[in-house]
Amino acid sequence: MREFIETMRAAGRLTEVSGPCSSEYEAPKRAATTDDLVFFEDLDGMRGVMNLTATRSALALALDIREESLLPTLAGCRFGGEVAVDGKVTAGHADLSKIPIMKHYPLDAGRYLTSAIVFSRYGGIQNGSIHRMLVLDRTHLAARLVEGRHTYNLHKAALADGEELPVAITIGTHPAVTFASCTRVPEGKELAYAAELRGGTLPVRECSNGVLVPDAEIVLEGYIGAETAEEGPFVDITGTYDPVRIQPVITITGMHMKQDPIYHGILPGGAEHKMLMGAPYEPKIYTAVSGVTGVKNVVLTSGGCGYLHAVIQVRKRTQGDAKNAIMAAFAAHTSLKHVVVVDEDIDPTSLAEVEYAIATRVRGDEDLMVITGVRGSSLDPCRLADGTNVKVGVDATMVMGREDEFVRARWD
């Protein structure tokens, strides 16, 4: 992570905060005013960073991929990197109060870890994923484990066997590792995917509980047992508060920190949160749509919380391709709510361009697909009590054979 911070500094995309800054509200407010990487020299006495990869260009820089090649390159990954064990982690006394864990908004339940990756290992399978974690005291966290996801399933399996789930939590990893941990990959392939993104090999170290971790500023060792606690309220991707739930408790048994560590925080509902939520799904949608028509680009928009709205740029082969693209997108990312398909001449990153396509190429009686009673995102405040929602697809492409009627005046 330190190498990437210096890369961003050299690129002129780093904002430095030299004076003291509080982890309660002040640092989150500063991060909310910019998409630049924000580096804090004194975050409650420790160095800190926010907005590490808050833009697509920053993510491309972190992965060392040209931005225009980012989507097809990620779509072509095969999660086949090599993970090389290189030593062990020596953990000392655990004390979460020594870390500048942030309280982001006034109605939050408390201080939350937001960038931390929970690595867990059980039955020979290791998983890595980001979970929000509420600080309960110096050695305990309440973690939101989404039902059916891998950490939840491993924890459930451990409890069924009368055991606890060993975990190691990393804070301050290279963005490639963070991105891999946010991506739905084949079982146990997060570290292999990170290795592939890092050039082929990723060195890791083994914690005392057998869990493998990559290079990180801070490593917390512990386990998830049968204990539970209230978790929430917490601001999620939509900028609204997620409700209070009863969630598992993580007990921290050891802590390792680099000398003069750098804490990484992600602003809930902020640009980096949206990027890490949505960008891993863009290659999946790209691959799915490529099976039905020529796909040029996929963008999960910021206004759609980086998660609920997709704009798909295609080169149609037949008149029905746009609607097939819509269905493929909904199947690839089931949390999508609205999809707009546009032609090659429309920039999918420009909301003005997309609106223009809707204004001039959509007939409401022919070009809208409305699908009711389908599962949507649990984060959408307007979902029904049973979890279902309404999805809408918009074919904002030109009618094939009538393209000359849609020619736009240009000087180039």
Side-chain angles (χ1 to χ4, degrees), residues 362-374:
V362 173
R363 283 180 50 111
D365 60 338
E366 295 181 353
D367 296 324
L368 298 183
M369 294 179 63
V370 180
I371 309 167
T372 61
V374 288

Side-chain angles (χ1 to χ4, degrees), residues 106-127:
L107 297 183
D108 285 354
R111 294 180 179 271
Y112 267 92
L113 287 171
T114 52
S115 73
I117 304 170
V118 178
F119 290 98
S120 52
R121 191 175 187 88
Y122 194 74
I125 300 295
Q126 170 145 331
N127 179 60

Side-chain angles (χ1 to χ4, degrees), residues 56 237-238 274-275 277-279 281-282 285 297-313 326 329-330 333-341 348-349 351 354-355 358 376-377 379-382 389-394:
R56 191 167 274 96
I237 194 72
T238 57
K274 293 174 182 176
M275 183 58 56
M277 281 284 285
Y281 282 99
E282 291 172 353
I285 299 169
N297 203 353
V298 175
V299 176
L300 291 177
T301 68
S302 178
C305 308
Y307 199 60
L308 302 176
H309 285 183
V311 180
I312 304 172
Q313 184 189 48
I326 290 167
F330 282 141
H333 178 26
T334 56
S335 290
L336 276 181
K337 185 176 182 180
H338 300 139
V339 173
V340 180
V341 180
T349 67
L351 293 183
V354 174
E355 186 179 2
I358 294 172
S377 172
L379 302 176
D380 184 352
C382 75
N389 214 323
V390 178
K391 298 179 186 287
V392 178
V394 181

Side-chain angles (χ1 to χ4, degrees), residues 407-412:
V407 173
R408 301 164 70 184
R410 299 183 186 276
W411 282 277
D412 53 351

Side-chain angles (χ1 to χ4, degrees), residues 296 313-316 342-347 361 398:
K296 306 297 291 184
Q313 184 189 48
V314 301
R315 177 186 295 168
K316 291 198 301 186
V342 298
D343 293 298
E344 290 181 88
D345 67 321
I346 299 296
D347 179 1
R361 301 177 187 183
M398 295 178 279

Side-chain angles (χ1 to χ4, degrees), residues 90-110:
T90 303
H93 176 68
D95 186 352
L96 295 172
S97 69
K98 294 184 179 298
I99 307 171
I101 302 170
M102 298 179 193
K103 186 173 184 182
H104 304 91
Y105 301 100
L107 297 183
D108 285 354

Side-chain angles (χ1 to χ4, degrees), residues 87-412:
K88 295 184 177 294
V89 175
T90 303
H93 176 68
D95 186 352
L96 295 172
S97 69
K98 294 184 179 298
I99 307 171
I101 302 170
M102 298 179 193
K103 186 173 184 182
H104 304 91
Y105 301 100
L107 297 183
D108 285 354
R111 294 180 179 271
Y112 267 92
L113 287 171
T114 52
S115 73
I117 304 170
V118 178
F119 290 98
S120 52
R121 191 175 187 88
Y122 194 74
I125 300 295
Q126 170 145 331
N127 179 60
S129 54
I130 290 184
H131 299 274
R132 68 183 194 233
M133 289 172 278
L134 170 65
V135 177
L136 300 176
D137 57 38
R138 295 188 177 196
T139 57
H140 294 91
L141 300 159
R144 170 65 175 133
L145 304 187
V146 177
E147 296 77 6
R149 301 280 177 86
H150 204 172
T151 308
Y152 175 92
N153 292 338
L154 289 178
H155 178 231
K156 187 176 178 180
L159 291 183
D161 292 338
E163 299 182 23
E164 298 159 334
L165 179 66
V167 299
I169 300 167
T170 62
I171 304 168
T173 61
H174 188 278
V177 178
T178 304
F179 183 81
S181 299
C182 294
T183 304
R184 300 286 183 88
V185 301
E187 185 177 82
K189 291 294 187 179
E190 289 84 3
L191 287 174
Y193 184 32
E196 184 176 2
L197 294 175
R198 290 289 284 149
T201 303
L202 182 73
V204 297
R205 291 186 293 163
E206 184 178 1
C207 294
S208 61
N209 58 8
V211 180
L212 302 178
V213 294
D215 179 79
E217 296 292 312
I218 302 168
V219 178
L220 307 171
E221 292 187 29
Y223 61 86
I224 312 177
E227 184 182 357
T228 59
E230 285 191 350
E231 184 275 319
F234 176 84
V235 173
D236 217 304
I237 194 72
T238 57
T240 56
Y241 282 91
D242 220 17
V244 177
R245 296 180 177 88
I246 302 299
Q247 293 292 290
V249 170
I250 301 179
T251 299
I252 306 301
T253 57
M255 183 166 75
H256 168 80
M257 293 196 292
K258 286 187 175 183
Q259 187 171 357
D260 194 16
I262 302 171
Y263 179 80
H264 176 207
I266 294 176
L267 177 66
E272 185 172 20
H273 187 183
K274 293 174 182 176
M275 183 58 56
L276 290 173
M277 281 284 285
Y281 282 99
E282 291 172 353
K284 289 188 65 178
I285 299 169
Y286 181 93
T287 299
V289 175
S290 70
V292 298
T293 192
V295 59
K296 306 297 291 184
N297 203 353
V298 175
V299 176
L300 291 177
T301 68
S302 178
C305 308
Y307 199 60
L308 302 176
H309 285 183
V311 180
I312 304 172
Q313 184 189 48
V314 301
R315 177 186 295 168
K316 291 198 301 186
R317 297 170 182 148
T318 67
Q319 180 54 29
D321 281 1
K323 290 184 173 65
N324 285 335
I326 290 167
M327 291 188 291
F330 282 141
H333 178 26
T334 56
S335 290
L336 276 181
K337 185 176 182 180
H338 300 139
V339 173
V340 180
V341 180
V342 298
D343 293 298
E344 290 181 88
D345 67 321
I346 299 296
D347 179 1
T349 67
S350 167
L351 293 183
E353 285 275 292
V354 174
E355 186 179 2
Y356 171 83
I358 294 172
T360 62
R361 301 177 187 183
V362 173
R363 283 180 50 111
D365 60 338
E366 295 181 353
D367 296 324
L368 298 183
M369 294 179 63
V370 180
I371 309 167
T372 61
V374 288
R375 182 169 70 85
S377 172
S378 63
L379 302 176
D380 184 352
C382 75
R383 70 192 181 282
L384 298 180
D386 63 0
T388 61
N389 214 323
V390 178
K391 298 179 186 287
V392 178
V394 181
D395 176 359
T397 61
M398 295 178 279
V399 178
M400 294 189 75
R402 293 176 50 198
E403 290 87 352
D404 58 327
E405 300 175 34
F406 297 90
V407 173
R408 301 164 70 184
R410 299 183 186 276
W411 282 277
D412 53 351

